[in-house]
Amino acid sequence: MEAIKAYYDGRAFVPVFPVNVAKNRVAIITILDNIMDSVPEKTYLQYVGKLSDDSYQEMTAILQDTRKIEKNEW
């Protein structure tokens, strides 16, 4: 038995995270009220760990500043 978090888009239940389940499996669906005030149309999992080009450039610039060694440092 596996619990899957999903939302109803008006036609079908859409899993929030990728699910590895064989087709035509029996499922028990429990509808919860007022748990999520607003459900995103897309899962944010696909964006985890990714930076925009501007953010990447900013982060690399910050890291370059930490690599600078000054003359009188020990």
Side-chain angles (χ1 to χ4, degrees):
M1 183 192 234
E2 183 179 355
I4 298 169
K5 188 183 274 188
Y7 63 93
Y8 185 65
D9 70 357
R11 290 184 292 141
F13 289 93
V14 180
V16 176
F17 300 106
V19 179
N20 187 14
V21 178
K23 288 185 179 183
N24 297 322
R25 294 288 305 266
V26 175
I28 298 171
I29 299 171
T30 304
I31 307 298
L32 304 173
D33 291 332
N34 299 327
I35 297 299
M36 301 171 81
D37 292 332
S38 62
V39 177
E41 290 188 20
K42 294 183 179 179
T43 176
Y44 293 106
L45 184 63
Q46 61 187 338
Y47 301 112
V48 172
K50 296 181 181 180
L51 295 175
S52 67
D53 289 337
D54 294 335
S55 296
Y56 175 76
Q57 296 299 329
E58 183 180 354
M59 292 296 289
T60 54
I62 291 169
L63 291 174
Q64 288 298 327
D65 287 344
T66 63
R67 292 186 180 128
K68 292 180 182 176
I69 299 174
E70 298 203 12
K71 234 179 186 178
N72 295 326
E73 282 190 47
W74 37 297

